[in-house]
Amino acid sequence: MLGPRVWSSVRQGLSRGLSRNVGGRASGEGRKVDIAGIYPPLTTPFTATSEVDYGKLEENLQKLGAFPFKGFVVQGSNGEFPFLTSSERLEVVSRVRQAMPKDKLLVAGSGCESTQATVEMTVSMAQVGADVAMVLTPCYYRGRMSSAALIHHYTKVADLSPVPVVLYNVPANTGLDLPVDAVVTLSQHPNIIGIKDSGGDVTRIGLMIHKTRRQDFQVLAGSAGFLLASYAVGAVGGVCALANVLGAQVCQLERLCLTGQWEDAQKLQLRLIEPNTAVSSQPMAAKGWPSFSGDPALRDPGAEESHGLAWLLGGPCRAPLQELSPEEEEELRLDFTNNGWL
């Protein structure tokens, strides 16, 4: 993390709202970074001794790189980031940057509880290769997290971030919904380019899109379970845990929505709801699960296989999270089998 002298330099040098270019588009001027598309939130593989398994992380990226994703999200809730040390968080971002295709965006979750720690983590993640910072709402003192407090927090982070900022709203984990009025105010900041909203309230998503329509502000659905509905009201993409497992199908749903094939999109969306709920409800459900293309020709013949499916390499979760019980694993498998994916 940044020491006192570096922190002072960051405040002085970055307070002018400077940000680096990504894909030729500056975040602080003109057209902002285009984040439209589908992103799998990567899991963090661990060894049997609970160390981060960077080799398995890189192998997973090679498998996921075969799908037409816009990029990858690291250090989201799916990546068990609250259980990683600061140095591990940065090392994961660095390893992903080195291993992922160069034409993909790397969105890194840099949220911490304090504003200063979030700025430090955001700057550090940018230094090791993040293109965009995804900043979770601070929530430990959720009773004091008023719109004013959250606007102050995100404004300071965006002022000092060298990369564009995406707001991250996940009330199931934080117990806090980022107020729409705060989102509208923050959408006017030149270095805040969008929001990932995982709340599942499509009315709220539509309202945010409507109220920020005069800003260059992009909304990402936080789940494949309401991806079609989000596209219908103007979202530009999604960060979907299910994309780790059914990557081709989630990208197909995106294409159907963008081309106006709503009947086919509805049929596919309905088949994704139960598997999505199963995978998204607990981060351990996406670990060690098959990355299934739906087309045998697209499976990696060199990967471990079970029942003809190529499996991502996950390993155990880090305590206190527990692995799925045999009963939970069976329920998970049934959710896929009953919808024709297994």
Side-chain angles (χ1 to χ4, degrees):
M1 298 300 287
L2 304 180
R5 281 191 294 179
V6 179
W7 167 249
S8 176
S9 174
V10 167
R11 284 186 299 166
Q12 295 172 14
L14 296 180
S15 61
R16 295 186 295 273
L18 299 177
S19 61
R20 72 177 185 145
N21 291 343
V22 181
R25 296 178 289 270
S27 65
E29 53 187 275
R31 171 65 184 170
K32 295 180 182 178
V33 175
D34 179 10
I35 58 173
I38 301 298
Y39 302 77
L42 302 180
T43 62
T44 302
F46 295 107
T47 66
T49 57
S50 202
E51 299 299 318
V52 177
D53 194 327
Y54 296 106
K56 287 184 178 180
L57 177 64
E58 292 169 6
E59 287 185 53
N60 287 343
L61 272 168
Q62 291 177 3
K63 294 184 177 72
L64 293 170
F67 300 107
F69 298 130
K70 178 73 171 190
F72 302 96
V73 167
V74 292
Q75 305 305 309
S77 54
N78 220 47
E80 299 176 61
F81 84 90
F83 300 155
L84 301 184
T85 66
S86 296
S87 60
E88 285 174 331
R89 291 180 70 179
L90 294 174
E91 184 65 18
V92 167
V93 174
S94 177
R95 295 294 189 98
V96 170
R97 176 79 276 171
Q98 295 171 40
M100 65 185 279
K102 303 304 180 186
D103 62 338
K104 306 292 186 183
L105 282 178
L106 174 52
V107 180
S110 63
C112 302
E113 280 299 305
S114 77
T115 302
Q116 179 168 334
T118 301
V119 170
E120 291 182 359
M121 181 61 75
T122 300
V123 171
S124 295
M125 284 186 168
Q127 291 172 341
V128 296
D131 295 315
V132 176
M134 187 177 73
V135 181
L136 183 70
T137 49
C139 61
Y140 187 83
Y141 297 104
R142 65 178 58 84
R144 298 293 295 169
M145 291 298 101
S146 62
S147 287
L150 292 167
I151 289 170
H152 179 270
H153 171 74
Y154 278 111
T155 298
K156 180 63 68 174
V157 172
D159 282 347
L160 300 179
S161 173
V163 293
V165 170
V166 168
L167 312 176
Y168 181 19
N169 185 56
V170 55
N173 289 354
T174 63
L176 176 70
D177 239 340
L178 184 56
V180 172
D181 68 290
V183 174
V184 173
T185 298
L186 291 167
S187 72
Q188 301 171 51
H189 193 291
N191 204 31
I192 295 177
I193 63 172
I195 184 171
K196 174 200 172 187
D197 196 299
S198 299
D201 184 345
V202 178
T203 300
R204 169 192 159 89
I205 290 174
L207 186 61
M208 284 191 297
I209 292 168
H210 178 63
K211 287 184 172 291
T212 62
R213 64 191 182 280
R214 293 186 175 86
Q215 308 300 326
D216 195 1
F217 191 74
Q218 303 162 84
V219 176
L220 296 172
S223 171
F226 48 90
L227 187 59
L228 181 153
S230 298
Y231 270 118
V233 296
V236 301
V239 180
C240 307
L242 189 62
N244 284 291
V245 183
L246 295 175
Q249 288 78 4
V250 175
C251 290
Q252 181 185 5
L253 179 57
E254 174 199 25
R255 289 193 299 273
L256 292 172
C257 291
L258 293 177
T259 55
Q261 300 179 67
W262 295 109
E263 185 175 346
D264 289 340
Q266 181 191 41
K267 292 177 182 177
L268 178 55
Q269 175 70 89
L270 293 175
R271 293 177 62 206
L272 295 178
I273 291 175
E274 287 183 318
N276 176 78
T277 301
V279 168
S280 301
S281 61
Q282 39 199 353
M284 66 289 293
K287 303 186 78 171
W289 191 246
S291 179
F292 180 45
S293 70
D295 180 353
L298 296 180
R299 296 179 194 147
D300 179 0
E304 283 185 53
E305 294 201 355
S306 176
H307 302 290
L309 305 180
W311 291 66
L312 292 179
L313 303 170
C317 295
R318 183 171 274 184
L321 279 179
Q322 299 293 298
E323 297 181 47
L324 297 179
S325 68
E327 294 76 18
E328 289 172 325
E329 287 185 359
E330 182 58 25
E331 289 179 13
L332 182 64
R333 183 173 293 276
L334 284 174
D335 284 329
F336 279 79
T337 301
N338 292 340
N339 287 280
W341 302 121
L342 287 176

